[in-house]
Every structure is written in structure tokens, then in C-alpha cells.
Amino acid sequence: MNHRKQGRDHAGKLGQELVQLAKMTAERFWAHRYINYHIKNWRVDKMSNDNVSIFKEIMGSYPTGVTILTTTDAEEKPCGLTVNSFASVSLDPNLVLWCIDRRSASLEAFEQSQGFVVHILAADQEELCWAFAGKDPDRFSKADWSLSKNNLPVISGSLGVLECKTVQQIDAGDHIIFLGEIIDIDKQDKEPMLYFRRDVGKIPTSWPAVVVH
Ligand SMILES: Cc1cc2nc3c(=O)[nH]c(=O)nc-3n(C[C@H](O)[C@H](O)[C@H](O)COP(=O)(O)O)c2cc1C
């Protein structure tokens, strides 16, 4: 008798738990549908000129490192430009990204090439930074460079060199995002160059981890 009562109690509890679980699942399902519906129907208005200026000011106040991106064009000539949109993406596989303006004279070379090189600039490479940010097509004459075994132009003297195979090109408004997988890597013991409010510099000596050489 006791056993039967215990069995009934147990089944009753189990039933209640199942009903609760079903309720929770249904609630989550509808919440998910509701959120997705609203995200799909979001309207994103073009930013006003004032907000574009604020966006530029914010991004200008966002300190970054500085890189030079290089590749070779169809005639095997070196091409490159100064870039601060570089970011690391993934460790496994080892992926990095950067963005290029559609108006860039080097765009076609990067689009057609199988790979690119990211040079993480050292603080003493200011002249190169501005040479590769200007319009002079002869910018490589200011650099000490050579072709790597992957047939990519490598500039010497930077803090880090990442040779990459292009794995994806993604349309992103007035820019194109290049995603690359690292195929060769090199590092030198140097201080990085920083970019902040349209100027470049080195890490302040007051920075906690800076060892003054
Ligand atoms: C610090 C700094 C960062 C820059 N970052 C980028 C960038 O991420 N992408 C880009 O397309 N241009 C960037 N530029 C602008 C290009 O370097 C510049 O427009 C260059 O003249 C392009 O050369 P090209 O037209 O011969 O390719 C940057 C310039 C500077 C000074």
C-alpha cells in the first residue's frame, strides 16, 4: 500500500516537472522568435553628418598600432599602404584581418594576389609610415625590402612580420575586409609605433610595462 502511494507521488512530481520544462521551453522558443523578428525588422538610418563627425572623433581617439600591408601586383611589382584597421581574429587557425578603402590604388593588387604581408611597425619607422600613407607610387624606394620565399615583399626593421595566405575577401561598405591565415612569422625585439589623433608616437615611458633601453 505504502509502495503504491510512494509510486503515485513520484509519478505526480515527475509529471509536474515535465509540465514546467515544457512551459520553459515554449517561453524560450517564443522569446527567441520575438527577438529575431524585431532584429530582422530593425531600420538603420544613415548617420547624420554631425554623427559621422563624432564617429570620426571617437575613432581618432581610439589608439592603435600601425602596420604596413604589402603584396605584389600582376607584374610582380611590390605594392603597399599604411593600415591601422589590422586585428587578430583567431588562434586556431591563425587568422588576422584588415580593411582596405575601395579607392585605394593598391586594391586591385591585393584582390588578385594569393597573399599579403602585415608589418607591425616599430616606433623608429615613422618615415616609412608616412611614405606608405601618401600618394607617391615610388614608396618602396624608401624601404629596405626583399621578396620572401612565398614571393611576397617583406620590409625590414619592423617589430613583427606576418606573411599570410588570403582566405576571404568580404564586402564591407566603402571598404573590403581581407582575412588571412598566417603562413610565416618573424619578430624583432623593438618598441611598437602608436597612432592617436592623427599622429604617431611611441609608448610613453610612464606606461607601467615599458623598459627604457
Ligand atoms: C595611421 C594610418 C592608418 C591608415 N589605415 C588605413 C586602413 O586601415 N585602410 C586603408 O585603406 N587606408 C588606411 N590609411 C590610408 C592609406 O594609408 C592611404 O590612403 C594611402 O595613401 C593608400 O595608398 P594607395 O592608394 O596607394 O593604396 C591609413 C593611413 C594612416 C596614416
Side-chain angles (χ1 to χ4, degrees):
M1 199 53 182
N2 253 348
H3 282 304
R4 269 198 211 152
K5 188 175 176 319
Q6 267 177 0
R8 273 202 307 274
D9 283 354
H10 187 66
K13 251 192 196 162
L14 199 67
Q16 275 170 9
E17 279 173 13
L18 280 174
V19 169
Q20 219 169 5
L21 189 71
K23 265 191 192 163
M24 271 165 58
T25 312
E27 271 165 21
R28 279 201 198 141
F29 172 79
W30 285 112
H32 199 246
R33 285 280 296 259
Y34 178 83
I35 290 165
N36 270 353
Y37 173 80
H38 283 275
I39 288 176
K40 257 191 223 149
N41 290 286
W42 262 349
R43 228 169 43 112
V44 181
D45 292 324
K46 202 170 179 327
M47 274 208 290
S48 66
N49 286 346
D50 281 353
N51 281 349
V52 170
S53 303
I54 294 170
F55 174 67
K56 284 182 180 170
E57 265 177 53
I58 292 172
M59 294 319 291
S61 300
Y62 177 63
T64 64
V66 185
T67 66
I68 289 180
L69 265 291
T70 59
T71 194
T72 37
D73 68 11
E75 284 143 29
E76 307 231 322
K77 275 206 311 234
C79 300
L81 72 160
T82 300
V83 160
N84 72 338
S85 54
F86 165 77
S88 85
V89 176
S90 155
L91 274 181
D92 184 19
N94 231 172
L95 301 175
V96 295
L97 70 73
W98 65 283
C99 311
I100 188 167
D101 193 316
R102 285 181 186 278
R103 293 166 303 181
S104 164
S106 331
L107 176 63
E108 201 180 324
F110 282 102
E111 279 180 328
Q112 290 179 357
S113 173
Q114 305 288 306
F116 56 79
V117 186
V118 186
H119 303 81
I120 312 287
L121 294 194
D124 61 3
Q125 292 182 298
E126 198 172 319
E127 203 186 321
L128 274 189
C129 161
W130 297 123
F132 280 76
K135 286 294 159 202
D136 182 2
D138 191 27
R139 54 196 78 163
F140 275 84
S141 66
K142 297 188 177 76
D144 177 17
W145 67 278
S146 58
L147 280 182
S148 71
K149 68 175 193 301
N150 302 307
N151 220 25
L152 291 166
V154 173
I155 298 171
S156 61
S158 45
L159 178 161
V161 175
L162 312 172
E163 284 188 66
C164 300
K165 176 184 154 206
T166 304
V167 291
Q168 218 176 324
Q169 297 180 24
I170 303 153
D171 281 337
D174 54 18
H175 279 60
I176 293 177
I177 303 169
F178 276 78
L179 194 66
E181 181 163 1
I182 300 173
I183 50 174
D184 253 313
I185 193 158
D186 191 34
K187 180 186 174 289
Q188 282 189 48
D189 201 10
K190 292 184 109 177
E191 289 298 323
M193 180 185 289
L194 298 185
Y195 183 69
F196 174 63
R197 294 198 178 146
R198 297 182 179 199
D199 216 344
V200 294
K202 53 172 86 167
I203 295 191
T205 46
S206 58
W207 191 262
V210 174
V211 180
V212 184
H213 294 291

